[in-house]
Amino acid sequence: MVEIETQNRVYTLVSCGEGDALLHGHPMFCPEPVLVNIHGSTWGGAMLKFRFIGRGMHLEFGHPAYVTPIITSRILDIRAAA
């Protein structure tokens, strides 16, 4: 379990394997834990670092209720959740 702090939110992510994760922390997309697919991280362009979560990058994930991927604000910190 990790906390991902972005410029606008703090997300909690629990890996379920194979790129799937329970994610919560956004009032619209995931106010409660929702099973998403972690696509990876991007610098803001078309290039995606597959299944990677990196500081200074934007997290991209697939949500079951949305057709297009969701991209967070820039990641400031990644830490183990207590």
Side-chain angles (χ1 to χ4, degrees), residues 4-51:
I4 302 168
E5 180 183 353
T6 68
Q7 288 177 318
N8 298 323
R9 311 255 179 253
V10 175
Y11 296 88
T12 301
L13 182 143
V14 178
S15 177
C16 298
E18 299 299 319
D20 290 333
L22 289 172
L23 183 70
H24 78 285
H26 192 283
M28 183 174 154
F29 300 121
C30 48
E32 300 294 325
V34 62
L35 186 64
V36 300
N37 183 264
I38 303 299
H39 296 171
S41 293
T42 178
W43 292 106
M47 187 180 89
L48 178 73
K49 193 156 185 180
F50 186 65
R51 290 191 184 160

Side-chain angles (χ1 to χ4, degrees), residues 49-70:
K49 193 156 185 180
F50 186 65
R51 290 191 184 160
F52 176 80
I53 301 172
R55 285 180 186 86
M57 301 177 85
H58 302 265
L59 178 65
E60 179 178 307
F61 61 92
H63 190 291
Y66 296 88
V67 176
T68 58
I70 296 168

